[in-house]
Amino acid sequence: MLPTPFRPDIIQYAWVVPRLEDAARQWNRLLGAGPFLINRDIKVADARYRGRASGTRFSTAVAQSGDVQIELIEQHGDGPSAYRDTVAPGTTGFHHIAFIESDFAAAVAVLTDQGHEVAADGLFGDMRYAYVDTSATIGCMTEIVEDKPTIRAFFEAVRKARDRWDGDPATLLRELSARPSA
């Protein structure tokens, strides 16, 4: 059961970018963000876009900034997707906020019951996610991430990477094996 009123804690802000490496370097030069942990060609099971099977290919780079995670998303190709719904190919644009919720279905229902459509959903490992298209109301998508130990561990690893990083630009970009991303 979700609390009333529904007030989830936003834990991530995400931008769609033309190229992960360039965007991460810009974030680092401008705001000191880093290191960025890069997940390439993320595998999503049961991926759907607007209710239909989807094969959208994308990679992400994530870094911690204060209490929130910064996510950069590069879509590989220009086909229809939740990313292309709000950010045109070759441009950078704010895409979504995200929160983690243990009652995933109830959280999705809170937004869909208000008339917002699920733009994309699927599974990262054992964790469900959904991008709900709230862009007409708040100017961006809202990602709901199912609360699982794997996603909590991933977010903690991003925080630890930031805490342990010495700021060396040579270690700004860190390649990861396939892990869940939000």
Side-chain angles (χ1 to χ4, degrees):
M1 186 76 181
L2 296 174
T4 303
F6 182 59
R7 292 184 182 143
D9 292 329
I10 297 170
I11 49 128
Q12 182 188 75
Y13 298 95
W15 285 260
V16 172
V17 299
R19 196 165 137 67
L20 289 180
E21 295 82 355
D22 295 342
R25 287 185 186 99
Q26 291 168 348
W27 272 84
N28 178 255
R29 275 193 298 273
L30 187 63
L31 299 172
F36 281 87
L37 285 61
I38 299 175
N39 285 322
R40 296 202 186 271
D41 286 315
I42 294 175
K43 304 300 181 232
V44 176
D46 302 325
R48 295 183 305 172
Y49 167 67
R50 306 280 176 187
R52 296 178 178 232
S54 171
T56 302
R57 292 183 46 244
F58 65 100
S59 298
T60 65
V62 294
Q64 193 70 25
S65 181
D67 291 334
V68 298
Q69 188 180 90
I70 303 300
E71 180 178 41
L72 307 174
I73 304 160
E74 178 183 343
Q75 179 172 322
H76 307 297
D78 296 333
S81 71
Y83 307 123
R84 293 294 174 241
D85 284 353
T86 60
V87 182
T91 65
T92 295
F94 186 64
H95 184 260
H96 72 262
I97 57 171
F99 62 90
I100 295 175
E101 180 54 57
S102 58
D103 194 340
F104 177 82
V108 171
V110 165
L111 298 179
T112 57
D113 288 351
Q114 295 178 57
H116 302 289
E117 181 182 349
V118 173
D121 61 336
L123 290 164
F124 288 123
D126 67 343
M127 178 208 75
R128 293 180 293 173
Y129 77 94
Y131 289 121
V132 180
D133 190 350
T134 53
S135 60
T137 304
I138 62 172
C140 66
M141 298 270 182
T142 298
E143 182 181 21
I144 303 168
V145 178
E146 185 176 27
D147 195 356
K148 293 283 190 174
T150 50
I151 196 62
R152 292 283 181 181
F154 178 72
F155 273 72
E156 184 59 26
V158 175
R159 276 190 285 280
K160 284 182 180 177
R162 186 259 335 257
D163 293 345
R164 296 176 180 158
W165 188 46
D166 63 4
D168 182 357
T171 59
L172 174 66
L173 305 174
R174 299 178 182 184
E175 300 285 338
L176 298 176
S177 59
R179 288 188 180 197
S181 173

